[in-house]
Amino acid sequence: MKRFHVELKRHTKTILASESLDDWAEEKSEFVYIMAYHRDQIVDMLGDEYFIVKIIEKEISERGY
């Protein structure tokens, strides 16, 4: 498995009619670390619930972190 640093925002389908895309774009992103075999697995797990801004593969040290 690999460790990935993932930047997420709430999905665009959750934007209300009273909000604009500009308001949504200015919202803070959430950052999480996820263990997965490859990037596609992360998209499969989170793509329906979140807008994935970026996925960065991180090196895993000998201790596993």
Side-chain angles (χ1 to χ4, degrees):
M1 290 188 105
K2 299 175 184 174
R3 183 179 183 196
F4 295 92
H5 184 232
V6 183
E7 182 180 352
L8 303 168
K9 291 181 85 86
R10 67 184 172 106
H11 204 284
T12 53
K13 66 183 174 189
T14 64
I15 297 174
L16 302 174
S18 61
E19 295 178 286
S20 71
L21 274 177
D22 291 334
D23 294 336
W24 173 84
E26 291 178 6
E27 290 179 6
K28 285 189 158 193
S29 298
E30 298 289 328
F31 295 90
V32 295
Y33 281 103
I34 296 177
M35 296 294 291
Y37 290 105
H38 47 81
R39 294 170 190 263
D40 293 342
Q41 189 177 19
I42 296 170
V43 173
D44 289 343
M45 288 187 297
L46 301 174
D48 291 337
E49 299 296 321
Y50 297 96
F51 179 83
I52 300 171
V53 178
K54 62 182 159 184
I55 302 173
I56 301 170
E57 186 175 337
K58 294 291 191 176
E59 294 291 323
I60 299 177
S61 67
E62 293 178 15
R63 291 192 281 154
Y65 296 101

